Amino acid sequence: MRSRFDEQLAILNNELTRMGAMCEEAIAVASKALTMGDAKLADKVLSLDGEINQKERTIETLCLKLLLQQQPVARDLRQISAALKMITDMERIGTQAADIAEIITFLDGRTGEECGHIRFMAEEASRMVTESIDAFVKQDVVLAGAAIDRDDVVDDLFLKVKSSLIRLISEKPADGEYALDLLMIAKYFERIGDHAVNIAEWVDYSVTGERKGADL
């Protein structure tokens, strides 16, 4: 019975890893589309968001089967419960990447070159997602803590983006709408970082039984 349960947990971990990889790809493609000013590339993010939504439903079904058929307790129960919470955050990450892509289609080919900090925000947010999912699979609270700490970097970059765009509006008032679009994109990347923090905190819970922070 235990070996069967362990096999199912391994499948769950693999599915979570795949969903995390989809989220990373969505972030990377959105960032590249912004860098290139490529609306067609941005459309790919919308397709990835649909795949992420489907993966959420698949994992949710798997978790519910584990709960009903295996009736886990203690750490096993926490791990499955945490997975159910995590996929909600990952689904939101996919949605926010799609929101970024939608804004890119309104930029008429303009890129984010006016504010290079946004690209760094995307890289750091993606790294946070990777670390938080890896932390869950490895049940590694140290790695989860590293993902949480990285959120300070993303927040600092967001402040730099705001300052840069305020300066842009001051110097080029005609670019006000463009600057606001970039600010919204940066805000979505910041929110992706927040969801990665949520995932890492659920890792902490699954290992220690203590829930830190608050849901977003």
Side-chain angles (χ1 to χ4, degrees), residues 17-56:
T17 300
R18 291 193 186 102
M19 189 174 181
M22 289 177 185
C23 290
E24 293 169 45
E25 184 179 1
I27 297 167
V29 173
S31 179
K32 184 177 181 180
L34 178 62
T35 300
M36 299 176 64
D38 189 337
K40 289 185 178 180
L41 185 58
D43 286 340
K44 182 180 178 182
V45 183
L46 304 180
S47 176
L48 283 167
D49 183 39
E51 293 177 21
I52 290 168
N53 291 340
Q54 180 59 51
K55 184 63 69 176
E56 179 192 24

Side-chain angles (χ1 to χ4, degrees), residues 182-197:
L182 291 185
L183 181 61
M184 184 61 69
I185 287 172
K187 186 61 181 176
Y188 281 130
F189 279 129
E190 189 217 13
R191 293 294 291 167
I192 286 171
D194 289 340
H195 285 294
V197 167

Side-chain angles (χ1 to χ4, degrees), residues 111-130:
T111 70
E113 64 182 8
E114 300 273 6
C115 187
H117 295 301
I118 293 180
R119 177 167 57 86
F120 296 124
M121 283 189 73
E123 291 172 357
E124 291 296 327
S126 181
R127 191 170 292 120
M128 288 176 68
V129 174
T130 301

Side-chain angles (χ1 to χ4, degrees), residues 22 25 60-61 152 166 180 185 191 204 209:
M22 289 177 185
E25 184 179 1
E60 183 178 48
T61 299
D152 290 337
I166 288 171
L180 289 176
I185 287 172
R191 293 294 291 167
D204 234 13

Side-chain angles (χ1 to χ4, degrees), residues 127-150 196-197 199-201 203-204 207:
R127 191 170 292 120
M128 288 176 68
V129 174
T130 301
E131 289 180 345
S132 60
I133 299 299
D134 284 350
F136 179 80
V137 172
K138 298 173 182 176
Q139 292 290 279
D140 187 337
V141 294
V142 174
L143 188 56
I148 292 170
D149 290 343
R150 196 177 296 280
V197 167
I199 293 169
E201 288 176 347
V203 173
D204 234 13
V207 175

Side-chain angles (χ1 to χ4, degrees), residues 152-169:
D152 290 337
V153 177
V154 174
D155 290 344
D156 182 61
L157 286 168
F158 180 65
L159 293 177
K160 291 179 179 177
V161 168
K162 285 201 297 184
S163 297
S164 177
L165 294 176
I166 288 171
R167 186 167 58 253
L168 173 62
I169 293 172

